[in-house]
Every structure is written in structure tokens, then in C-alpha cells.
């Protein structure tokens, strides 16, 4: 009698966390992170220059920050250079963040629920726990709970700059997770800024800004092209949003989200991808470093450092970044795997995820911005908060460097495997191993090598 099929064998494979990216997604992530890495190095340099400038020539630094430029009417745009940096240049940064978020929703890791659940839960937990820890630390009489959002942000450029400086070879799956996490983190950050750090709303200006956004969307959807139309319109929308009392960076995110990021017909790149490719270097190479130059200049002295570790507000920021972000992101990821019965990529370990979680505790650009927004009438407290952001980010960078260095040899092997292209066709071999044509080309190359160099075969080529 024929044997009956076994009924207790699993019929579906468990979903894998941090698995291999598709080739188009890997190409996009590689290109995006290459620009962000260069921007991260510039960001680190700008932060160091700001610290030296503010501590060696403090009066010159303050005079530059307070220098006012711009028209006073009809809108109130007679702003200091410091304000232009955080309200103007950072709008470019959030515009790119909006495009990234839109692309992730339509073509990236967030396009399906199963793919989105990991970075979304990790990002939410990585925002919630630092806020809770900050609130607990500042619950006493000397605390300032209004700064709860300062330690909630992840700075992808700063993190990648650290990776570039220390020479860590992080596999593409971990880099993609870090990038997607930062994109979701940016969305949460802009919602926090719009909801909790906006005041004195002028509805006439907000209505006109909304009308400008509708016109922006309509022209884009009708296929109208031309920077000479969209750039002036974007400037008008930005100015009206600034006048309305809603933080002007919201305009950047809104316009980024309106761009079409899916391809139609025989398009090689969607409009959103093309514009992001043009604007990202401006954001990473100019806007964010200049903002850092104007925002990171805080006084570093013995008493100032002592206050960072003894006063509730700066201490809450450091605990939030180093402990809250790490435990929140790692815990959210582990719980996601546990309750969805997903398995981690066998080439990685949970220690790798923990190291990346520590690295994600680097909160620089958005954290510095929120430090100024949270304490508008108390510059001394804002400076202590910014000093805590710098100290907390530095501690996260140092701890993450140690943890990543312990696995760097393994990471290098994984990266070499991901990049190996034996047949030289420009496509990594890991994406062609099941293709008979690729196997035939590899065999022919091995035979040719064996004829030219006796003793060399397919095994040696592989």
C-alpha cells in the first residue's frame, strides 16, 4: 500500500527578519546610503568646528548666529542666520525625508504590512521608551517634562558617518533596516513637531499654505515640469507655513509626500526618485552640516559637563538616547519576532541587532532642533539640552563602535559575499545562483581558466 503523506510537517516557511534585499532595493539603499555617508562625515566635521568655534571665539560665534537677514514684510522673514538654518535649511532635509517615506510606502520596505511591521514597531518603541524615561527622570520639582521629545530621534547621517570613520562593514540588510527605521522615525518626529511645538496659529496663513500645497499636488499630477514653477511655489508655501505658526519644516515633508514615487510605463525612474537624486546631495552635503554648524556650538567646560550628568533635563536626554533608544528598538524587534513567529536571518545574530539599536541612539539633527523648540524662552536650558544630545550621541557612537568591531570580520565576509561577481556582468552572484545561464557562464569561465592555468578549476574560482 502506498505510504500516506506526513501531516505534521510544516507547510510554510517562517518569515525571515533582515533577509536579503531584492536587487533593485539593494541598489537604491546602496546609492542612498553612499550620499548619506558623505553627508555624515561632513556633519561630524561641522559639529567639531562648531564646538571649537563656540568655545574659542564665543562672541564671534554668537554674533554670526544672531546676524539678521531677510525681508520684514509682508511676511515676517527678517530672521537670524540661526533661524534660517533651523527653519529654512532643515526644510530641505525634511523634504527629502518626505520623499523617502513616500517611496518606502509605495516601493520599499513599508509597502506591505508584513515588511513594514518590523521597522514600524521598532521605531515606535524607539520613540516611546526614551520619552517615558525622560518624563520619569524629569518628574521631580527640578525637571522640565516639556523636553520629552528630544531623545526620540535617530540621525541616520550621523550614524553612517560614525560607520565610515570607524571602518565598520555593515551588511546591506542591517543598513536597510537602519535607513527604514530612520525614515519612520523622521515621520514621527515631524508629527511631534507639528502637534506639540507649534503655537499662535494664524489660520489665514495656514489656509493659504494649504492652497499652495494643493496647487503643488495638482501641477505635479498633471505632469507639469519645470523647476522655475515648482521652486518659487515651494518657497511661497514655506513662507506661508512659517507665518502660520506651524513649524515650516512641515511644508517640506508635505511636498515630499506629494511627489509620485512609483514608475509608470517605461519610466526608468519616477519623478520622486529623480528629484530625490538631485536634492539629497544638497540636503546631506549643505543643509544639515550648516544647521549643525549653527546648532552644535555649546560651551564645554567642567561645570557644564557636570550639569549634564547631574541635572534632570540633560540626564534624561542621555538616558533616553543611550538606554531608551537601545532597549526600545531592540525590544520592539525581539517582540515582533517572538509574536509573529519570524526567524532572524541565520547569517546574523541578535547581538548584531543590539549593536545597531545602540547605533540608532545617535540623535543629532532633529534632537538639536527639538532642543531649541522645547525651551524657546530659556537659552541656558536649551544649551544644556544640546550638550546632552552631543554627549549622549557620542556615548552611543562609542558603545556601538565597540560592539560592531567585535563582529567586523564576519560583516566583512558577508559584504564580500554580497558583492562577489565572478562572471563580471555587474549583478552580484547571490542573485543568480539559481539561474542556469549564470551557472553555464561560470562553468565555461572555469574551463577556460583550467585550460590556461592547469590545476585551477571551478572550486578555486568560487
Amino acid at each position: 500500500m502506498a505510504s500516506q503523506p506526513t501531516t505534521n510537517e510544516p507547510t510554510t516557511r517562517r518569515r525571515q527578519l533582515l533577509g536579503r534585499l531584492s536587487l533593485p532595493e539593494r541598489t537604491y539603499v546602496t546609492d542612498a546610503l553612499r550620499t548619506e555617508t558623505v553627508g555624515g562625515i561632513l556633519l561630524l566635521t561641522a559639529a567639531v568646528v562648531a564646538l571649537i568655534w563656540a568655545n574659542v571665539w564665543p562672541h564671534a560665534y554668537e554674533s554670526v548666529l544672531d546676524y539678521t537677514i531677510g525681508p520684514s514684510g509682508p511676511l515676517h522673514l527678517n530672521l537670524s542666520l540661526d533661524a534660517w538654518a533651523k527653519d529654512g535649511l532643515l526644510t530641505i532635509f525634511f523634504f527629502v525625508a518626505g520623499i523617502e517615506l513616500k517611496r518606502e510606502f509605495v516601493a520599499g520596505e513599508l509597502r506591505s504590512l508584513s515588511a513594514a511591521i518590523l521597522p514600524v514597531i521598532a521605531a515606535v518603541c524607539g520613540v516611546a521608551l526614551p520619552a517615558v524615561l525622560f518624563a520619569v527622570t524629569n518628574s521631580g520639582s527640578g525637571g522640565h517634562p516639556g523636553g520629552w521629545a528630544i531623545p526620540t530621534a535617530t540621525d541616520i547621517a550621523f550614524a553612517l558617518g560614525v560607520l565610515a570613520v570607524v571602518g565598520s562593514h555593515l551588511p546591506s540588510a542591517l543598513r536597510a533596516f537602519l535607513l527604514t527605521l530612520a525614515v519612520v522615525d523622521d515621520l514621527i518626529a515631524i508629527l511631534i513637531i507639528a502637534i506639540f511645538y507649534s503655537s499662535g496659529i494664524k489660520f489665514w496663513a495656514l489656509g493659504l499654505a494649504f492652497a499652495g500645497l494643493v496647487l503643488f499636488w495638482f501641477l505635479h499630477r498633471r505632469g507639469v515640469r519645470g523647476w522655475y514653477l515648482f521652486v518659487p511655489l515651494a518657497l511661497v508655501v514655506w513662507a506661508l507655513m512659517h507665518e502660520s505658526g506651524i513649524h515650516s519644516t512641515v511644508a517640506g515633508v508635505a511636498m515630499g509626500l506629494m511627489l509620485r514615487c512609483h514608475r509608470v510605463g517605461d519610466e526608468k525612474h519616477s519623478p520622486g526618485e529623480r528629484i530625490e537624486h538631485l536634492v539629497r546631495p544638497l540636503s546631506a552635503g549643505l543643509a544639515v552640516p550648516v544647521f549643525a554648524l549653527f546648532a552644535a556650538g555649546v560651551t564645554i567646560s567642567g561645570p557644564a559637563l557636570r550639569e549634564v550628568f547631574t541635572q534632570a533635563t540633560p540626564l534624561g536626554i542621555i538616558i533616553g538616547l543611550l538606554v531608551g533608544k537601545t532597549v526600545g528598538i531592540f525590544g520592539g524587534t525581539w517582540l515582533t519576532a517572538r509574536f509573529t513567529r519570524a526567524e532572524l536571518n541565520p547569517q546574523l545574530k541578535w547581538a548584531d541587532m543590539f549593536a545597531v539599536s545602540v547605533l540608532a541612539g545617535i540623535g543629532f539633527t532633529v534632537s538639536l532642533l527639538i532642543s531649541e523648540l522645547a525651551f524657546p524662552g530659556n537659552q541656558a536650558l536649551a544649551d544644556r539640552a544640546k550638550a546632552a544630545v552631543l554627549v549622549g550621541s557620542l556615548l552611543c557612537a562609542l558603545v556601538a563602535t565597540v560592539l560592531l568591531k567585535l563582529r567586523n570580520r564576519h560583516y566583512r565576509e558577508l559584504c564580500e559575499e554580497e558583492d562577489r561577481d565572478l562572471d563580471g556582468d555587474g549583478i552580484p552572484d547571490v542573485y543568480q545562483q539559481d539561474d542556469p545561464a549564470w551557472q553555464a557562464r561560470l562553468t565555461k569561465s572555469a574551463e577556460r581558466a583550467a585550460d590556461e592555468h592547469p590545476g585551477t578549476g571551478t572550486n578555486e574560482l568560487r
Side-chain angles (χ1 to χ4, degrees), residues 50-92:
L51 288 172
I52 294 174
W53 190 2
N55 285 273
V56 178
W57 302 284
H59 296 295
Y61 184 77
E62 291 295 332
S63 64
V64 170
L65 261 62
D66 295 337
Y67 184 79
T68 301
I69 189 173
S72 57
L75 303 178
H76 300 87
L77 296 178
N78 189 27
L79 307 174
S80 66
L81 291 181
D82 181 31
W84 277 110
K86 68 172 182 284
D87 293 344
L89 289 178
L90 277 194
T91 302
I92 301 174

Side-chain angles (χ1 to χ4, degrees), residues 446-461:
E447 293 173 349
R448 188 182 305 114
D451 292 338
E452 296 175 355
H453 306 283
T456 302
T458 304
N459 291 335
E460 283 75 7
L461 284 176

Side-chain angles (χ1 to χ4, degrees), residues 326-398:
T326 301
V327 176
I329 293 171
F330 180 80
T333 305
W334 185 85
L335 289 173
T336 301
R338 178 66 182 270
F339 288 103
T340 61
R341 296 185 176 276
E343 60 182 7
L344 187 67
N345 183 343
Q347 293 182 314
L348 301 173
K349 296 182 178 180
W350 282 109
D352 302 320
M353 176 55 67
F354 185 82
V356 170
S357 300
V358 177
L359 187 67
I362 297 176
F364 189 79
T365 305
V366 178
S367 293
L368 291 178
L369 173 62
I370 298 178
S371 295
E372 296 196 2
L373 299 178
F375 311 113
N378 192 336
Q379 189 58 45
L381 184 58
D383 286 343
R384 285 198 296 273
K386 290 194 285 187
V389 170
L390 296 176
V391 172
S393 298
L394 178 60
L395 291 175
C396 289
L398 292 175

Side-chain angles (χ1 to χ4, degrees), residues 21 26 29-30 33 170-177 415 418 431:
L21 303 176
R26 181 180 184 272
V29 169
T30 300
L33 294 184
L170 206 61
S172 60
L174 289 175
R175 289 178 179 265
F177 171 78
C415 290
E418 291 178 355
Y431 294 98

Side-chain angles (χ1 to χ4, degrees), residues 428-445:
D429 296 336
V430 292
Y431 294 98
Q432 304 183 87
Q433 291 177 347
D434 297 328
D435 184 2
W438 173 81
Q439 295 176 357
R441 290 197 303 271
L442 193 63
T443 301
K444 185 177 294 186
S445 299

